[in-house]
């Protein structure tokens, strides 16, 4: 019964994350159900982390309150939760392995996830988890706030993942947090497969998460309750949002991509690589966005001696880059305020 209860709490927080994200961007078009469920879960978990940060500031880390907020939120967002589950089933049913390589890759991913889940249900053993990834949530739960009675060097790190682990710890204990860490990896694998399917084709859908899990430390992280899998999920969501911005030419996607970059930085300081990479992608994608906008609004042929309107204008590049950077910094700012 205990493992089922632990897995149930992790599943509850996963479903809530998907429902919250789906509600926030319900009308935003993402054709692929796999990409959609990963983006919605990433956004929902990011919002839940910031909410937990606010509750910690207010000294409201109480198990009864977290249970009430979780159940009330799920009841209020039940239609969105069902929609997210429908996307999950649709994505799983849509898995297609056209050749032997993709079938082997799919089996390897399933094996990694299965073994990771079994290890996640076992007591935690890893140094980082026992020192701070799971210990900080335990201390927060005991003190009912972000204020600790003892010095902890790692408390100065941004802690988006640890905020989710704190919620799981308050609901059921450290093992629930560890299984939630596995759920982060499972959603990452499914979202990555869907993204690879859209970008490079169905043959490489299973291969993309297989390559990721072929890195031994990453496959082991499925049972470690670390911050890195959530960081990778935010990075993937940023790439999905940037691709939708490139395809749809809607500025809101660029702002959302910046928000995901800020959430990635909110997992650990080395996550700074994600907004830097996102800025490069945003700049390089500007020509495609300009091309689509020109095709839609300016059908005049190019004239010799006059620059084509498709060429990137410096002011446009600066504007789009500023949108991305401002969104990233605004989402990361609460962690700077916490440290201050």
């Amino acid at each position: 019964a205990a493992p089922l209860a632990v897995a149930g709490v992790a599943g509850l927080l996963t479903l809530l994350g998907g429902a919250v994200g789906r509600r926030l961007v319900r009308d935003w078009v993402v054709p692929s159900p796999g990409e959609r469920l990963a983006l919605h879960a990433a956004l929902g978990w990011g919002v839940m982390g910031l909410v937990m940060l606010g509750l910690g500031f207010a000294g409201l880390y109480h198990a009864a309150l977290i249970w009430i907020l979780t159940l009330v939120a799920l009841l209020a967002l039940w239609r969105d939760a069902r929609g997210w589950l429908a996307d999950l089933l649709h994505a799983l049913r849509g898995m297609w392995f056209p050749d032997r390589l993709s079938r082997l890759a799919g089996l390897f991913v399933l094996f990694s996830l299965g073994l990771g889940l079994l290890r996640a249900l076992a007591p935690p053993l890893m140094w980082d988890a026992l020192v701070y990834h799971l210990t900080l949530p335990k201390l927060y739960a005991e003190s009912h706030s972000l204020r600790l009675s003892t010095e902890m060097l790692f408390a100065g790190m941004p802690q988006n993942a640890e905020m989710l682990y704190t919620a799981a710890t308050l609901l059921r204990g450290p093992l629930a947090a560890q299984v939630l860490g596995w759920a982060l990896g499972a959603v990452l694998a499914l979202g990555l497969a869907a993204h690879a399917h859209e970008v490079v084709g169905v043959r490489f859908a299973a291969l993309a998460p297989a390559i990721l899990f072929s890195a031994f430390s990453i496959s082991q992280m499925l049972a470690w309750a670390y911050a890195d899998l959530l960081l990778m999920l935010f990075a993937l969501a940023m790439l999905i949002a940037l691709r939708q911005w490139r395809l749809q030419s809607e500025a809101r996607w660029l702002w959302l991509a910046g928000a995901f970059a800020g959430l990635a930085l909110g997992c650990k300081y080395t996550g700074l690589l994600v907004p830097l990479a996102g800025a490069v992608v945003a700049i390089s994608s500007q020509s495609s966005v300009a091309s689509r906008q020109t095709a839609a609004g300016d059908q005049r042929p190019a004239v010799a001696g006059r620059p084509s309107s498709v060429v990137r204008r410096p002011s446009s590049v600066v504007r789009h880059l500023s949108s991305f950077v401002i969104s990233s910094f605004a989402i990361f700012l609460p962690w700077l305020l916490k440290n201050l």
Side-chain angles (χ1 to χ4, degrees), residues 95-97 101-107 109 193 196 201-211:
M95 287 291 178
W96 184 46
F97 308 107
L101 178 61
S102 60
R103 287 192 291 271
L104 288 174
L107 288 174
V109 172
V202 64
R203 185 169 182 267
F204 301 96
L207 193 60
I211 291 173

Side-chain angles (χ1 to χ4, degrees), residues 14-30 32-48 80 83-84 87 187 233-234 237 240 253 256 260:
T14 301
L15 183 59
L16 179 58
V20 170
R22 185 180 176 89
R23 171 59 64 90
L24 291 175
V25 292
R26 177 190 293 176
D27 299 325
W28 298 30
V29 178
V30 181
S32 166
E35 286 186 315
R36 195 161 57 237
L37 76 89
L39 186 139
H40 290 165
L43 180 58
W45 276 327
V47 170
M48 289 163 60
D80 297 287
W84 189 83
D87 281 339
V187 172
L233 179 60
F234 287 144
I240 293 172
W253 283 109
L256 183 61
F260 281 126

Side-chain angles (χ1 to χ4, degrees), residues 293-320:
Q293 291 173 340
T294 300
D298 184 3
Q299 302 296 334
R300 294 174 300 172
V303 177
R306 186 183 71 188
S308 170
S309 57
V310 175
V311 176
R312 287 175 286 179
R313 300 184 182 92
S315 60
S316 179
V317 173
V318 170
R319 183 175 70 254
H320 287 112

